[in-house]
Amino acid sequence: MEASPECTQQDGGLGLVRRRPPAPQSLRKTLKGRLQQSCTCRGRKAWALVQDLVPATHWLPRYRLQEDLAGDVMSGLVIGIILVPQAIAYSLLAGLQPLYSLYTSFFANLIYFLLGTSRHVSVGIFSLLCLMVGQVVDRELQLAGLDPTQDSLWPGSNNSTFNASATGLALGSQDCGRDCYAIRVATALTLVAGIYQVLMGVLRLGFMSTYLSPPLLDGFAMGASVTILTSQLKHLLGVRVPRHQGPGMVLSTWLSLLRSASQANVCDVVTSAVCLAVLLAAKELSDRYRHHLKVPLPMELVVIVLATLASHFGQFHERFGSSVAGHIPTGFLAPQVPDPGLMWRVALDAVPLALVGSAFSISLAEMFARNHGYSVRANQELLAVGFCNVVPAFFHCFATSAALAKSLVKTATGCRTQLSSVVSAAVVLLVLLALAPLFQDLQRCVLACVIVVSLRGALRKVGDLPQLWRLSPADALVWVATAAPCVLVSIEAGLLVGVLLSLLSLVGRTQRPHATLLARISGSAFYEDTMEFEGLLPEPGVQIFRFAGPLYYANKDFFLRSLYSLTGLDAGRTAARRWGLDAGAHKGNSSSKDLGPAGTTSVLVSSAASFHTVVIDCAPLLFLDVAGLAALHDLRRNYEALGIVLLLACCSPSVTDMLRRGGFLGEDEGDAAEEEQLFHSVHSAVQAARARHGELAATDSTL
């Protein structure tokens, strides 16, 4: 850009040379240029587009075998070993058969390997999403006249149930049993949620995940964890209770558990107590000595193997009636298109599922990218997670997202790239093809123990609430307001309340920002808050006002009330009386309104002011809308009627442009009117006010 010959001299000779902005193009030319740029297809550009959509094509040819292979293989093996027991356990949450959880883990790892931009995130089954899927599955089963309390794991020891489910998937809903109808609901829900996520990525809406703040996500995780814990208590005790739906599900489940506590299975209770003690002790020791362990201990797998052996040789199912997993078949089912009718039924349920999965995936990807010094693309992450749901939905899989616990293990075991996901998928494939039937005698209470122990981190976040309250009461309120509805009403209600309250708290902070007067620090050209610091030097006849927030329609009245209260002069009413206008309609208003930023009222001076200039420090002024601009126009007009000058300092380029386009300043850059009202620092504005007042005083004395 060319430099303008106009130069502004301020602060002892320092000069600022304005750049001439480029000539604005017409809308037609702008759209034509963008269309030409987007539609032009060359070989190099096409390959760059492929690399953007499939990042593995970019980094895989540059893969460093000697540096990265060992860490990727080790982390992939560990995550694969952890995935197997978690996949079987989380099928309880989703109300589905374990085989579908294994399918989900297998396909999600392969797809994210191709499309993901994070090197360390582990994508697969996630407890919160499993719970959300399970609630929709239970509701649709009830509406279809099927029993959601029926075991979702195979009860038999042969392949008859598997064959019936596979046959039912190819038939209509009237010929479909409980298990196959459940997976049809889950795949329909997953496909719709994946389509939402892909559309968000295509429309470049990755920024929307930033509106789900960390306190909101922590509160949501806490509330959902309590719900998950409640849903697993019946398996820990070995009792059969109805699966409640709708508001108050947690409280209703607790009441049912209390009524059925006398029917608890002693074998399941003892097994649960032993497994919980071993898993919790192992987790605590692992956390305490994690710096000394090169590879985390896969205690879930150890406990599941030992419990399976004990159940098999002790014949817990036959002797004590303990509920076991039953036969888990091997191999893959034929692909199946999700039911369009069910997709329409669950379209609304897929919205929170898509938002939660996207928010957790993007936030985890960005967190690991910051910790390891690389960058990720939020929109590509949306596409990756979306396709991790869209494609597997045709292969009897359900919703997935990034999971924190497995991602931390992945990093701790030396993961360098997403090649580790391929190794994890290979481990799951081995179980799918050969090892799955070995877990048929595994007790369901052991799987519930694995789920409960995995909630340890989320439940511990309650201890962070006092510190969060000390740091930010508004964030603590968002945390509580998200967690409480999740427990008392439903997790969808908790998410909705949390989002609304989070946005309201953001609006509230901008609607009533901090407002104060400034004074100069002795021996310097800097100005600070007179409410916070002592010993500052006020400038005689000059009031310096700072409004620490944007100026827009929602806070323009608070802006004026704060300014009038702090300066002691209601310029609007005083100017109206001076003009001889009827100000009776305003009587009594000022006494009942909040006139100060601290919620106090002050007596406003209606006579001549004790100052001649008001300087507004616009440095914290993030933006200015039409209503805020009109408020500044009225303020300047009222001050001019009283013989007071209004000056602005430290305006950002966007605010300056708005002032110029709104007629507050001159139409052209460097206009004399602009130079007289706009200053680059508070001190230069104060100096100009002092000089201008001195000139007026000298003229008056001469006259």
Side-chain angles (χ1 to χ4, degrees), residues 324-343:
V324 296
H327 179 73
I328 305 176
T330 58
F332 288 89
L333 290 172
Q336 180 78 21
V337 178
D339 189 345
L342 286 174
M343 291 172 62

Side-chain angles (χ1 to χ4, degrees), residues 9 45 142 266 289 453 546-547 613 629:
Q9 296 289 333
K45 186 175 181 180
Q142 288 181 342
V266 177
Y289 298 104
V453 172
R546 173 184 289 169
F547 191 70
T613 304
L629 183 63

Side-chain angles (χ1 to χ4, degrees), residues 247-316:
M249 181 194 67
V250 173
L251 298 178
S252 301
T253 303
W254 274 96
L255 292 176
S256 299
L257 287 170
L258 290 176
R259 287 193 292 264
S260 305
S262 60
Q263 304 173 7
N265 187 295
V266 177
C267 179
D268 285 343
V269 172
V270 173
T271 303
S272 299
V274 173
C275 291
L276 284 175
V278 172
L279 286 173
L280 289 174
K283 290 293 184 182
E284 291 296 330
L285 292 175
S286 179
D287 291 344
R288 183 173 299 181
Y289 298 104
R290 62 181 181 273
H291 299 295
H292 303 283
L293 297 174
K294 295 183 178 180
V295 178
L297 298 177
M299 286 305 301
E300 292 90 348
L301 183 64
V302 173
V303 168
I304 282 180
V305 170
L306 294 179
T308 302
L309 293 175
S311 176
H312 175 72
F313 292 106
Q315 298 181 347
F316 291 167

Side-chain angles (χ1 to χ4, degrees), residues 284-543:
E284 291 296 330
L285 292 175
S286 179
D287 291 344
R288 183 173 299 181
Y289 298 104
R290 62 181 181 273
H291 299 295
H292 303 283
L293 297 174
K294 295 183 178 180
V295 178
L297 298 177
M299 286 305 301
E300 292 90 348
L301 183 64
V302 173
V303 168
I304 282 180
V305 170
L306 294 179
T308 302
L309 293 175
S311 176
H312 175 72
F313 292 106
Q315 298 181 347
F316 291 167
H317 177 59
E318 292 80 6
R319 295 172 57 189
F320 306 107
S322 181
S323 179
V324 296
H327 179 73
I328 305 176
T330 58
F332 288 89
L333 290 172
Q336 180 78 21
V337 178
D339 189 345
L342 286 174
M343 291 172 62
W344 282 109
R345 291 172 63 92
V346 300
L348 191 60
D349 300 295
V351 174
L353 192 69
L355 290 177
V356 172
S358 301
F360 275 99
S361 298
I362 294 177
S363 60
L364 288 179
E366 291 178 343
M367 180 187 75
F368 283 102
R370 286 193 302 269
N371 293 342
H372 294 273
Y374 62 94
S375 61
V376 295
R377 291 180 284 136
N379 294 314
Q380 179 62 28
E381 286 297 305
L382 281 174
L383 291 175
V385 177
F387 279 110
C388 283
N389 289 323
V390 169
V391 177
F394 293 88
F395 296 89
H396 318 293
C397 302
F398 55 93
T400 59
S401 74
L404 176 60
K406 292 191 288 291
S407 299
L408 290 174
V409 173
K410 199 172 185 178
T411 305
T413 51
C415 172
R416 305 296 292 271
T417 70
Q418 279 298 329
L419 189 65
S420 61
S421 298
V422 179
V423 180
S424 301
V427 175
V428 177
L429 181 63
L430 178 63
V431 175
L432 277 170
L433 297 180
L435 303 181
L438 299 179
F439 297 100
Q440 66 178 1
D441 290 323
L442 176 62
Q443 292 171 270
R444 299 184 70 179
C445 63
V446 178
L447 299 177
C449 290
V450 173
I451 295 174
V452 170
V453 172
S454 70
L455 305 175
R456 190 173 53 109
L459 295 174
R460 279 183 171 179
K461 291 185 180 295
V462 179
D464 299 336
L465 189 58
Q467 182 182 4
L468 183 62
W469 176 263
R470 290 191 296 269
L471 292 175
S472 174
D475 287 338
L477 183 61
V478 170
W479 193 101
V480 174
T482 306
C486 282
V487 176
L488 300 177
V489 185
S490 66
I491 55 177
E492 292 83 5
L495 181 62
L496 179 60
V497 171
V499 170
L500 292 178
L501 189 60
S502 183
L503 294 177
L504 286 176
S505 68
L506 180 62
V507 172
R509 293 174 186 179
T510 62
Q511 190 172 359
R512 297 179 64 87
H514 180 64
T516 186
L517 293 180
L518 305 181
R520 186 168 60 87
I521 302 174
S522 178
S524 72
F526 300 101
Y527 294 76
E528 269 301 343
D529 188 347
T530 56
M531 296 181 183
E532 186 176 357
F533 298 98
E534 298 179 353
L536 301 178
L537 303 178
E539 182 67 24
V542 179
Q543 298 281 7

Side-chain angles (χ1 to χ4, degrees), residues 47 51 54-64 68 72 110 112-119 377 416-422:
W47 177 241
Q51 289 184 325
V54 187
T57 59
H58 175 71
W59 61 263
L60 196 57
R62 299 174 175 82
Y63 188 79
R64 300 173 298 179
D68 299 339
D72 285 342
L110 289 182
Y112 191 81
F113 157 74
L114 295 173
L115 303 180
T117 59
S118 174
R119 303 173 191 171
R377 291 180 284 136
R416 305 296 292 271
T417 70
Q418 279 298 329
L419 189 65
S420 61
S421 298
V422 179

